[in-house]
Amino acid sequence: MIMEAKNSCEACPVYHKENLTRLGVDLENADYVITLAGNPNTGKSTVFNNLTGLRQHTGNWPGKTVTRAEGAYSYNEKRYKVVDLPGTYSLLSTSVDEEVARDFILFGRPNVTVIVADATRLERNLNLTLQILEITDRAVLCVNLMDEARRNHIEINIRALSRELGIPVIAASARSKQGMQELLSAIEEVASGKYTCKPRRIKSQPANLKHAISVIAEKINGVFPDLPNVNWVALRLLEGDQSIIDAIRSGDLGSLKQDLPSTVSEEERDLKAGLASQERVTSQERVTSQGRVTSREGTASQQGQNTLKEREEVLSVANAERWDLGLNFHDTVIETIYSEASAVAQKTVSLSGNKPPYSLDLKIDKIVTGKWTGFPIMFLLLAGVFWITISGANYPSGLLFSLLVDKLHPLLNEWAQAAHFPWWLSGVLIDGAYLSMAWVISVMLPPMAIFFPLFTLLEDFGYLPRVAFNMDSLFRKAGAHGKQALTMSMGFGCNAAGVVAARVIDSPRERLIAIITNNFSLCNGRWPTQILIATIFIGAAVPAAMAGVVSAAAVVGVALLGIFLSLVVSWGLSKTVLKGEASTFSLELPPYRPPRIWQTLYTSLIDRTLFVLWRAMVFAVPAGIVIWLVANVTISGVSLAEYFIDWSNPFALIFGLNGIILLAYIIAVPANEIVIPTILMLTVLMTGITGVGAGAGVMIDNASIGQTGDILRAGGWTTLTAVNLMLFSLLHNPCSTTIFTIYKETRSVKWTMVSTFLPLALGFTICFLTTHIWFLIHPLS
């Protein structure tokens, strides 16, 4: 029977397979489950990448919008599943990140929790470490960034720290892979039970808090005997932690009372599993004196009712003790943890040399976050990134266009003719679907391949948290979250990526505001439209020597208008349908670090650029088919496009636009990159211009900006039309990729519709006002 228990180890409660599966972890082919926890900016992701290499994937926690990264590795013939928890400063509040981290450690009960700490800020990181050690006694502390600590004259006594905490402590520099072998060995020892942890528990609480915890702990032990972390559970009940309350009410807390793998030898565990199996068999039936088999299930209902009553009594006692303690005991708990962390740090951390740590970082921060210098530097860097992106994208974009459109498109048409394709089939597949996809690739790929690495380098260097610091006061006054500055910046690359980036905001209300307003950031699909129109019409309105500067100023002005409207709309939402106070948040300014060039290129190109490009292509192909159909399907000799343009022209003119622009934006919902080619195609169709492109109804573009201007002017465009197009390009509905992403993040049709139509309504309003103000100033134009 013991042998049978050995073969079904994964069914043993020690492994908590049910809880781990419910928390979204696939346990297939895994001997041990390891989790990584730590503060943000400690290098936790680097440790994760070093452990797992390419054997990793990302997803969401069940029912949450918080990202989960999973990976795997093998060590000494054992297979380890690694789960990377969200970076968090504490487990004591109720943000989504902290709830996910706390619940996984408590209810998932991983075999080892690896706590990654920043060696340069060890005292602050010990606050989280001590909280985790209250939950589990199977932990390893990885003190990362030791190279930076040495560079800043910070010395850490690793052995003394291990003695103080009662767990293995490993010194590491994950960026250079130092300490990783030692970390692997420590994980194995704790997971297998070779190393028995004796974690430090917080004991310096005030007398009244100790009394309240002991009263509740005694009550909990009566219902859930031998709970390994009963004092911590009692403390969370005092805090009114809803997930702990639910776990007690449902009885799930009972699954935590099994012996821990780290404190039980393998032989003892097998023996206990065998005895438990025997007990289950004998408890299923009992032979009475009359020789009949009697089930014990008869009293199960009564026992369940009694247990439920006892559970409610636990919650009642906790409520009474919470009332006696008063409202400010939470601050006492925090102070206790901080003082404990400080005591450990004083015994283990010392400074050497005369130069204070981070003196250079502080000098840089005085400039980049200064009252008078912070914003100018921010705008200059942003402008520099845009300039590099736009200038650098021209040449590769031209090469891709030449390859995919100039050379491959005619070749595909020749193959279609040789294969005797019907004209409509080759039109739909080649002139429609293929050309649309080719345009998205040639226009979208080069700027993304430049912008995302530059953005990631700034992030890796440590500058982006400074942007959030600078913008925090503005967003807070608008009733939004300071981290919205980060999501807004990400939106300048791609709005879909900006929406996903809103996950860093803890407050659901403020996260929703950031999602709704992210469309006001000009994405890379709209930059080409802005630059082209500004060059043709705005630059042409001034002397040639000033044309470039004025055109660039117009584009930057539109981008700044988007930032301004993001603040205004955020303020409006926070005062009406999304009322609430702006939440406070801990924003750590990490040390400046040399960017990791190759890892940045990999992350940016694979995880961001190609992912977003693929989604855009998926939507652009059907859009190309629609473009070809509306331009080539006719009724009584008139195409569907002409019918719509003639019908919508009077309405569009009220807003300083035209029917061609409206139809182009309807067709280009899947991808903003195809707006200008669609406008040119429809203009040629409506005006009957000959000798341009591959014929009417085929998506076109011109290498010559002058020729493009001639086509647009032939279609009746004026400077007012150009200005309104630039405004409408900023303020119109998101592309279908972004709309789909918004729905995935909010799981709400209502808020997806608000995010879609709010900017569209604002765009028509501003274009209407601009048009009528223009006619007041220029009555004859």
Side-chain angles (χ1 to χ4, degrees):
M1 188 167 297
I2 292 177
M3 190 58 129
E4 182 183 340
K6 272 188 178 181
N7 292 336
S8 58
C9 261
E10 64 179 13
C12 177
V14 164
Y15 285 78
H16 298 281
K17 182 176 181 181
E18 231 176 81
N19 278 348
L20 285 165
T21 304
R22 193 178 68 216
L23 291 168
V25 178
D26 180 11
L27 298 182
E28 188 177 357
N29 299 324
D31 295 303
Y32 298 111
V33 175
I34 311 302
T35 187
L36 295 182
N39 290 176
N41 302 309
T42 58
K44 183 164 61 68
S45 296
T46 308
V47 173
F48 175 77
N49 291 333
N50 283 344
L51 291 177
T52 60
L54 298 177
R55 297 180 296 279
Q56 54 186 252
H57 67 90
T58 58
N60 283 351
W61 294 90
K64 309 288 183 184
T65 58
V66 178
T67 302
R68 178 185 75 251
E70 280 186 22
Y73 70 91
S74 297
Y75 185 75
N76 285 346
E77 299 181 355
K78 293 292 183 180
R79 297 159 300 181
Y80 294 79
K81 169 81 76 172
V82 186
V83 180
D84 188 14
L85 296 178
T88 178
Y89 292 102
S90 170
L91 300 180
L92 294 177
S93 65
T94 55
S95 74
V96 179
D97 287 0
E98 292 168 7
E99 181 186 342
V100 162
R102 189 271 322 283
D103 285 355
F104 188 82
I105 298 171
L106 179 63
F107 298 114
R109 296 279 306 288
N111 297 89
V112 183
T113 298
V114 178
I115 309 164
V116 182
D118 182 350
T120 65
R121 292 166 168 81
L122 186 59
E123 180 177 336
R124 184 167 60 208
N125 284 222
L126 285 174
N127 297 321
L128 177 66
T129 303
L130 291 172
Q131 292 175 47
I132 291 175
L133 294 184
E134 291 291 314
I135 302 177
T136 179
D137 68 350
R138 294 169 292 164
V140 174
L141 178 62
C142 175
V143 183
N144 193 27
L145 304 174
M146 287 295 292
D147 51 346
E148 290 190 15
R150 287 189 291 269
R151 193 162 53 245
N152 287 279
H153 318 293
I154 299 171
E155 295 180 355
I156 299 173
N157 189 330
I158 296 297
R159 288 187 177 181
L161 185 59
S162 180
R163 286 195 304 270
E164 289 292 326
L165 297 177
I167 60 174
V169 177
I170 306 298
S173 299
R175 288 163 68 100
S176 55
K177 299 189 177 181
Q178 295 178 14
M180 291 297 103
Q181 284 301 315
E182 292 84 351
L183 180 61
L184 288 169
S185 177
I187 292 172
E188 180 196 36
E189 289 185 353
V190 175
S192 63
K194 295 176 184 176
Y195 186 110
T196 302
C197 299
K198 297 178 181 178
R200 183 187 184 110
R201 306 294 192 193
I202 300 171
K203 298 177 181 178
S204 56
Q205 291 120 333
N208 61 343
L209 181 59
K210 273 186 179 179
H211 173 74
I213 290 174
S214 65
V215 169
I216 300 171
E218 183 180 355
K219 200 71 179 174
I220 293 172
N221 273 328
V223 182
F224 304 104
D226 304 321
L227 203 65
N229 37 34
V230 63
N231 285 343
W232 188 87
V233 173
L235 178 61
R236 296 312 299 147
L237 278 181
L238 281 173
E239 294 267 15
D241 191 313
Q242 190 59 48
S243 62
I244 302 298
I245 293 172
D246 293 341
I248 288 178
R249 190 164 277 151
S250 66
D252 286 348
L253 202 66
S255 65
L256 303 183
K257 67 182 181 182
Q258 304 297 329
D259 290 322
L260 303 178
S262 60
T263 59
V264 181
S265 69
E266 207 170 304
E267 292 80 8
E268 289 175 318
R269 195 183 313 144
D270 291 338
L271 180 59
K272 287 188 177 186
L275 292 174
S277 179
Q278 283 182 326
E279 185 180 345
R280 281 194 296 272
V281 172
T282 57
S283 67
Q284 286 175 355
E285 55 183 33
R286 178 180 297 168
V287 180
T288 65
S289 57
Q290 286 82 13
R292 292 174 304 182
V293 176
T294 305
S295 171
R296 296 184 64 182
E297 294 176 356
T299 58
S301 176
Q302 183 180 350
Q303 289 174 353
Q305 290 175 1
N306 293 339
T307 305
L308 179 60
K309 183 180 178 182
E310 291 170 355
R311 293 173 195 160
E312 291 297 335
E313 285 178 4
V314 172
L315 300 179
S316 177
V317 169
N319 287 332
E321 292 296 331
R322 186 188 311 122
W323 183 264
D324 291 341
L325 281 175
L327 297 176
N328 62 345
F329 85 94
H330 176 80
D331 295 336
T332 305
V333 173
I334 298 296
E335 289 170 7
T336 300
I337 295 172
Y338 273 59
S339 63
E340 195 96 2
S342 178
V344 174
Q346 286 176 7
K347 294 178 181 179
T348 57
V349 181
S350 60
L351 296 175
S352 62
N354 299 322
K355 194 175 180 181
Y358 292 107
S359 55
L360 179 60
D361 285 22
L362 293 173
K363 289 177 182 177
I364 297 174
D365 278 343
K366 284 184 179 179
I367 299 172
V368 299
T369 63
K371 182 178 180 180
W372 303 108
T373 55
F375 277 97
I377 290 173
M378 187 172 67
F379 288 130
L380 283 173
L381 273 176
L382 192 64
V385 168
F386 290 151
W387 179 79
I388 294 172
T389 300
I390 293 165
S391 301
N394 285 334
Y395 183 69
S397 184
L399 285 179
L400 285 172
F401 171 77
S402 176
L403 173 65
L404 298 176
V405 179
D406 287 345
K407 295 179 181 178
L408 192 53
H409 177 247
L411 193 60
L412 289 174
N413 273 324
E414 289 177 10
W415 289 345
Q417 289 177 7
H420 304 290
F421 277 26
W423 70 272
W424 58 268
L425 183 59
S426 62
V428 167
L429 295 180
I430 299 173
D431 295 337
Y434 171 76
L435 266 186
S436 178
M437 182 181 67
W439 271 111
V440 168
I441 293 173
S442 61
V443 174
M444 193 172 182
L445 178 58
M448 278 201 306
I450 297 172
F451 179 86
F452 279 135
L454 289 175
F455 191 87
T456 309
L457 284 173
L458 288 176
E459 183 180 22
D460 207 26
F461 178 63
Y463 179 70
L464 288 190
R466 275 79 182 175
V467 172
F469 179 85
N470 290 334
M471 297 291 292
D472 175 54
S473 59
L474 292 177
F475 280 103
R476 191 171 62 251
K477 290 175 183 176
H481 200 287
K483 289 183 182 178
Q484 190 171 326
L486 298 178
T487 68
M488 178 190 69
S489 300
M490 186 64 78
F492 281 121
C494 173
N495 292 139
V499 169
V500 173
R503 294 173 178 177
V504 301
I505 299 175
D506 298 331
S507 161
R509 180 188 71 86
E510 291 165 331
R511 188 186 312 124
L512 192 54
I513 291 175
I515 288 173
I516 292 171
T517 58
N518 194 264
N519 191 57
F520 298 131
S521 297
L522 279 173
C523 66
N524 58 37
R526 290 182 277 175
W527 285 109
T529 300
Q530 296 285 337
I531 294 166
L532 180 66
I533 299 303
T535 303
I536 293 173
F537 290 94
I538 309 299
V542 298
M546 296 291 295
V549 175
V550 172
S551 299
V555 176
V556 173
V558 171
L560 292 178
L561 175 63
I563 296 174
F564 173 74
L565 289 174
S566 180
L567 291 167
V568 170
V569 173
S570 295
W571 178 85
L573 290 170
S574 68
K575 297 299 180 184
T576 54
V577 293
L578 292 173
K579 283 184 179 180
E581 293 294 326
S583 63
T584 58
F585 71 102
S586 299
L587 177 63
E588 182 179 2
L589 297 182
Y592 294 101
R593 296 164 181 159
R596 294 160 292 180
I597 305 296
W598 294 113
Q599 184 175 335
T600 295
L601 287 174
Y602 172 81
T603 302
S604 303
L605 294 176
I606 302 299
D607 289 354
R608 294 181 178 177
T609 303
L610 294 184
F611 175 71
V612 175
L613 179 67
W614 169 251
R615 288 174 68 168
M617 286 168 56
V618 167
F619 287 110
V621 167
I625 294 173
V626 172
I627 292 171
W628 189 89
L629 289 174
V630 298
N632 288 276
V633 175
T634 61
I635 300 175
S636 301
V638 180
S639 68
L640 297 178
E642 291 174 279
Y643 276 116
F644 179 86
I645 292 167
D646 290 338
W647 169 79
S648 61
N649 251 328
F651 169 79
L653 290 173
I654 298 173
F655 302 96
L657 302 169
N658 58 45
I660 291 175
I661 294 173
L662 293 187
L663 181 57
Y665 272 100
I666 292 172
I667 294 174
V669 166
N672 286 301
E673 291 76 14
I674 59 177
V675 166
I676 290 298
T678 304
I679 288 175
L680 293 175
M681 179 203 77
L682 294 174
T683 302
V684 169
L685 177 70
M686 294 300 293
T687 58
I689 299 175
T690 58
V692 178
V698 179
M699 184 179 291
I700 62 167
D701 192 26
N702 289 270
S704 167
I705 291 178
Q707 287 180 326
T708 302
D710 291 339
I711 293 173
L712 295 177
R713 290 188 183 94
W717 281 52
T718 64
T719 303
L720 174 62
T721 313
V723 169
N724 280 325
L725 179 70
M726 292 178 71
L727 292 173
F728 197 72
S729 176
L730 171 69
L731 301 169
H732 70 280
N733 53 280
C735 69
S736 54
T737 303
T738 304
I739 294 172
F740 178 66
T741 304
I742 291 171
Y743 177 73
K744 281 187 66 178
E745 293 298 308
T746 63
R747 292 297 176 188
S748 167
V749 174
K750 170 188 171 184
W751 292 115
T752 303
M753 291 298 100
V754 170
S755 303
T756 300
F757 292 107
L758 178 63
L760 190 63
L762 197 57
F764 279 120
T765 301
I766 289 182
C767 286
F768 177 84
L769 294 174
T770 302
T771 299
H772 288 77
I773 292 172
W774 180 280
F775 284 134
L776 287 174
I777 299 173
H778 306 281
L780 299 178
S781 62

